Amino acid sequence: MTVRAEADSVRVVACAGEFDQDTVGLLQATCDREATSAKLLVIDVKNVTFADSSFLNTLIRLRNAHPLAVAGPLPDQLHACSI
């Protein structure tokens, strides 16, 4: 994951690789840290190669706690989900 600051206090968290119950903790911690100074978190998922339900649950928890947008294009397993 990488984080970049954009204009208007937007933080983009670019995810890459696989996300499952063993790896989503880093995503959650990164987003929680960045949300303290961001008006909007953007989760860029275009380079995610695998995401299980723990990744989706993390996105839902983040959305419930912070202003959040998901950027893509979305991997196939995220197309059917409405976040």
Side-chain angles (χ1 to χ4, degrees):
M1 281 182 302
T2 60
V3 178
R4 69 180 185 271
E6 302 272 323
D8 298 326
S9 297
V10 173
R11 297 290 184 277
V12 178
V13 179
C15 300
E18 298 183 1
F19 288 85
D20 58 23
Q21 68 181 7
D22 295 327
T23 58
V24 295
L26 180 58
L27 172 64
Q28 180 77 47
T30 300
C31 289
D32 286 341
R33 182 185 69 240
E34 294 300 322
T36 61
S37 60
K39 290 182 182 174
L40 175 67
L41 286 173
V42 177
I43 310 298
D44 183 344
V45 296
K46 70 181 170 202
N47 292 313
V48 172
T49 57
F50 174 81
D52 70 2
S53 61
S54 60
F55 181 77
L56 297 175
N57 285 330
T58 299
L59 292 179
I60 291 168
R61 280 194 301 274
L62 289 168
R63 183 204 58 196
N64 290 338
H66 313 288
L68 180 79
V70 177
L74 298 176
D76 289 340
Q77 69 260 39
L78 296 181
H79 275 284
C81 302
S82 175
I83 298 183

